[in-house]
């Protein structure tokens, strides 16, 4: 072979070998990346990504330290402040575009998501040109939502800041929810992403899920007042009052004069029936904001529960002067008139006015029924029984309306119907007041065994309870156990108040051996309580039996005056008038 060609082959082989080595060195760094593609770790990217950025899917921030990105993705006020300090450069020219972009993002998040933590504006270096992130920032500031332009955490979170800048853009909620779900898949412990998802779900009425997200957000920033306040509102809406109060305690530790937190705590105590604590908080709220008119009513109700009717009246007067006329105001005003002013007529007038504004309200109808029943009068032209039937048409199982029916049916002498209703209700309710009423119905129908069993049981449970004493004595007298009844009456009379004495004298009249003694006892009863309709009715019956029509009429007229809606009393009065006139 020619030596020239041999030399050429050798040089060619040597050059070829160098090319092979160069190409191997060139593509060697891509070998792990291609292996990852085969394993399914990346399907779209065709260039290698630094490890810190690869975890979030963002190449744009690949030159940023993972620690800084972690802080920004956490998104709490404290995390954002620390991230900004780590990004800070003394020389504005030293910032990279990605660092400037992150500073703009931090500023946007603090301004819109955590406004109460934004002490002042941050110095953010000017940036020439734009990128997909700064474009989103521009749109968010102008209240414009656009779907995420990338798959990284920040790209999905950033457009959702429109929740704060454009809260009424409900058409975008589905897209925002999808974007936040993607962000939470990348960073499930993010304080800000969980907080934003909680807000979004709350606005859509998905409060159970919202509460779960906010618990996660709070785990990352346990003292964040904006998260805590939203948690309180959601827990309150879900009826989780204990949790509402626990969160409220944490929030009020740092902000004892936070009026909104105080209101939520006050509402929670009120819903739980703790009027004392609700009233105390209502007083604090009114000191901070005297125009919180609804809390005047809570304060008034709490004062009534404490027996401080002067303070209750003052609160109601202040509320009335504000021009408000809520249903709750009318209910409290009528109750005050009954309990403090002792004026059922004034309460009836108040409720009649309330009916003009709230004609179909069940609470007002029930209150009107009770006032009409206790005062033996009409309210807004209707009897207690008519109101009770109205309520039962709307709520067939309403127990309070049934109780009014039982009382009114007994007044009218319709004991059979009263007994049927009372028997069924006793099985459901079993409250002492209902049992005492049922005992009277049983006695009227001569169902003595049932009456005795119930009265004995109630008396043995609490022998100092006045109503239990009354029912037990009533049963003893009605069933002819005279000796025990007399002994009990004699023991109770010395220390009894005027109302109880009136009752005891009335019962004792049935133990008298003659009508003259009975009349004397009944007059003693009326001396203690001139409005005792039982004593008045019994005197009418005695004189009617003696055919002393004038005296019978005298006492019966008082019965009718005290109970003008009692059909039985009205019928007796008409009959007696005919006898006298003839």
């Amino acid at each position: 072979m020619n030596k020239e060609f041999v030399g050429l082959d050798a040089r060619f082989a040597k050059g070829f070998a160098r090319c092979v080595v160069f190409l191997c060195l060139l593509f060697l760094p891509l070998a792990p990346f291609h292996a990852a593609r085969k394993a399914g770790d990346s399907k779209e990217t065709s260039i290698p990504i630094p490890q810190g950025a690869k975890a979030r899917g963002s190449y744009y921030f690949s030159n940023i330290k993972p620690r800084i990105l972690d802080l920004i993705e956490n998104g709490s006020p404290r995390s954002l402040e620390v991230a900004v300090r780590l990004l800070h450069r003394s020389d504005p020219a030293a910032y990279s575009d990605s660092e400037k972009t992150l500073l703009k993002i931090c500023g946007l998040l603090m301004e819109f998501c955590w406004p109460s933590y934004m002490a002042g504006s941050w110095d953010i270096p000017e940036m020439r040109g734009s990128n997909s992130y700064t474009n989103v920032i521009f749109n968010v500031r102008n209240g414009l939502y656009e779907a995420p332009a990338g798959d990284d955490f920040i790209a999905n979170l950033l457009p959702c800041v429109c929740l704060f800048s454009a809260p009424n853009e409900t058409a975008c909620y589905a897209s925002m929810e999808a974007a936040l779900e993607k962000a939470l898949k990348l960073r499930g412990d993010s304080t800000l992403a969980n907080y934003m998802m909680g807000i979004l779900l709350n606005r859509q009425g998905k409060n159970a899920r919202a509460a779960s997200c906010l618990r996660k957000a709070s785990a990352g920033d346990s003292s964040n007042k904006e998260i805590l306040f939203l948690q309180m509102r959601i827990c309150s809406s879900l009826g989780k009052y204990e949790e509402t109060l626990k969160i409220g305690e944490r929030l009020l530790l740092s902000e004892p004069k936070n009026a909104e937190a105080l209101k939520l705590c006050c509402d929670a105590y009120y819903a739980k029936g703790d009027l004392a604590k609700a009233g105390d908080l209502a007083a604090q709220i009114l000191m901070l904001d005297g125009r919180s008119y609804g809390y005047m009513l809570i304060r008034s109700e709490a004062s009534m529960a404490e027996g401080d009717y002067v303070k209750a009246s003052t609160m109601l007067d202040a509320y009335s002067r504000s021009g408000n006329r809520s249903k709750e105001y009318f209910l409290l005003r009528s109750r005050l008139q009954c309990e403090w002013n002792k004026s059922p007529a004034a309460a009836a007038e108040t409720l009649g006015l309330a009916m003009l504004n709230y004609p179909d309200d069940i609470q007002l109808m029930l209150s009107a029924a009770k006032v009409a029943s206790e005062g033996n009068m009409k309210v807004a032209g209707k009897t207690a029984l008519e109101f009770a039937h109205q309520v039962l048409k709307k709520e067939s199982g309403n127990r309070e309306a049934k109780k009014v029916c039982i009382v009114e049916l007994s007044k009218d002498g319709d004991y059979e119907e009263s007994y049927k209703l009372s028997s069924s209700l006793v099985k459901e309710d079993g409250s002492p007041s209902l049992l005492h009423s049922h005992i009277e119905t049983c006695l009227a129908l001569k169902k003595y065994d049932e009456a005795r069993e119930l009265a004995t049981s109630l008396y043995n449970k609490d022998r100092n309870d006045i109503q239990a004493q009354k029912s037990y004595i009533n049963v003893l007298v009605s069933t002819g156990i005279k000796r025990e009844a007399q002994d009990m009456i004699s023991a109770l009379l010395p220390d009894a108040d005027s109302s109880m004495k009136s009752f005891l004298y009335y019962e004792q009249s049935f133990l008298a051996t003659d009508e003259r003694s009975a009349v004397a006892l009944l007059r003693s009863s009326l001396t203690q309580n001139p409005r005792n309709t039982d004593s008045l009715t019994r005197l009418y019956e005695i004189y009617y039996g003696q055919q002393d029509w004038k005296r019978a009429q005298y006492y019966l007229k008082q019965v009718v005056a005290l109970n003008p809606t009692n059909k039985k009393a009205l019928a007796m009065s008409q009959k007696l008038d005919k006898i006298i006139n003839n």
Side-chain angles (χ1 to χ4, degrees), residues 67-361:
R67 166 69 173 150
I68 295 174
L69 288 176
D70 284 339
L71 289 165
I72 294 171
E73 288 174 0
N74 176 278
S76 70
R78 174 65 178 163
S79 295
L80 293 173
E81 287 174 357
V82 173
V84 168
R85 282 205 298 271
L86 292 174
L87 285 167
H88 178 71
R89 301 280 185 274
S90 56
D91 180 8
Y95 285 107
S96 67
D97 282 349
S98 58
E99 287 173 333
K100 292 178 182 178
T101 300
L102 283 178
L103 285 171
K104 286 182 178 292
I105 289 170
C106 289
L108 181 83
L109 297 180
M110 282 296 289
E111 179 183 350
F112 285 95
C113 305
W114 312 116
S116 63
Y117 289 88
M118 190 72 174
S121 59
W122 289 343
D123 291 330
I124 299 174
E126 290 187 12
M127 182 176 177
R128 292 181 180 179
S130 63
N131 55 54
S132 59
Y133 298 100
T134 56
N135 289 338
V136 172
I137 292 172
F138 177 82
N139 287 332
V140 165
R141 287 189 177 282
N142 287 282
L144 301 172
Y145 175 81
E146 64 177 43
D151 287 331
D152 61 286
F153 178 90
I154 294 176
N156 280 285
L157 181 83
L158 206 55
C160 298
V161 179
C162 279
L163 281 170
F164 304 93
S165 64
N168 297 321
E169 289 295 322
T170 57
C172 304
Y173 281 179
S175 178
M176 286 184 185
E177 188 171 344
L180 287 171
E181 283 174 353
K182 285 182 182 179
L184 286 167
K185 282 181 181 178
L186 294 167
R187 185 70 187 271
D189 64 343
S190 168
T191 297
L192 180 54
N194 277 299
Y195 173 55
M196 291 171 74
M197 181 64 94
I199 291 174
L200 180 60
L201 293 171
N202 169 242
R203 290 183 186 171
Q204 297 178 86
K206 303 172 184 178
N207 282 334
R209 286 178 59 198
S212 176
C213 289
L214 290 170
R215 278 192 289 271
K216 293 175 185 176
S218 184
D221 190 356
S222 60
S223 62
N224 188 301
K225 56 190 175 185
E226 271 141 347
I227 295 174
L228 290 174
F229 180 66
L230 183 57
Q231 271 188 294
M232 283 185 73
R233 278 204 304 111
I234 289 174
C235 286
S236 179
S237 71
L238 293 171
K240 296 181 178 180
Y241 301 119
E242 288 293 344
E243 194 172 346
T244 302
L245 292 168
K246 285 179 183 177
I247 297 168
E249 286 174 7
R250 286 162 56 193
L251 183 53
L252 291 170
L253 278 175
S254 59
E255 292 195 39
K257 293 186 177 181
N258 187 316
E260 295 306 313
L262 286 168
K263 287 176 182 179
L264 286 170
C265 286
C266 180
D267 293 342
Y269 278 123
Y270 186 79
K272 287 179 63 185
D274 192 336
L275 280 176
K277 289 183 178 177
D280 289 342
L281 288 176
Q284 292 182 49
I285 292 163
L286 291 168
M287 287 179 67
L288 293 170
D289 180 8
R291 293 174 297 177
S292 296
Y293 301 116
Y295 294 92
M296 289 180 181
L297 298 181
I298 291 178
R299 183 66 175 147
S300 177
E301 189 174 352
S303 298
M304 272 194 264
E306 295 168 359
D308 191 345
Y309 291 105
V310 173
K311 187 178 289 182
S313 180
T314 301
M315 285 288 108
L316 288 176
D317 289 343
Y319 181 86
S320 177
R321 286 194 296 271
S322 72
N324 289 289
R325 289 292 186 276
S326 68
K327 173 188 74 174
E328 289 74 19
Y329 165 77
F330 287 116
L331 288 168
L332 287 172
R333 176 64 79 183
S334 62
R335 181 181 155 193
L336 186 74
Q337 289 165 331
C338 283
E339 293 180 12
W340 188 40
N341 303 120
K342 306 297 181 186
S343 177
E349 185 178 347
T350 297
L351 290 169
L353 182 60
M355 288 292 172
L356 296 175
N357 296 295
Y358 308 95
D360 298 317
D361 185 82

Side-chain angles (χ1 to χ4, degrees), residues 366 392 395-404 425 428-429:
L366 272 176
L392 290 172
E395 290 184 3
S396 59
N398 191 293
R399 293 179 183 178
E400 294 303 311
K402 287 180 180 179
K403 288 178 185 178
V404 172
L425 194 55
E428 301 173 17
D429 191 315

Side-chain angles (χ1 to χ4, degrees), residues 17-30:
R18 286 176 178 172
C19 287
V20 170
V21 170
F22 175 78
L23 290 172
C24 287
L25 290 171
L26 178 63
F27 289 98
L28 185 60
L30 297 182

Side-chain angles (χ1 to χ4, degrees), residues 21-70:
V21 170
F22 175 78
L23 290 172
C24 287
L25 290 171
L26 178 63
F27 289 98
L28 185 60
L30 297 182
F33 172 68
H34 288 295
R37 284 193 64 185
K38 290 178 182 178
D41 289 347
S42 175
K43 295 180 180 179
E44 298 176 0
T45 310
S46 60
I47 57 174
I49 300 174
Q51 191 61 36
K54 180 179 170 183
R56 300 170 181 84
S58 172
Y59 177 67
Y60 185 76
F61 299 120
S62 60
N63 66 320
I64 303 298
K65 293 178 180 179
R67 166 69 173 150
I68 295 174
L69 288 176
D70 284 339

Side-chain angles (χ1 to χ4, degrees), residues 512-529:
T513 54
D514 56 75
E515 286 187 342
R516 186 174 181 178
S517 300
V519 167
L521 288 166
L522 289 167
R523 285 177 177 165
S524 295
S525 171
L526 291 172
T527 300
Q528 297 297 324
N529 178 17

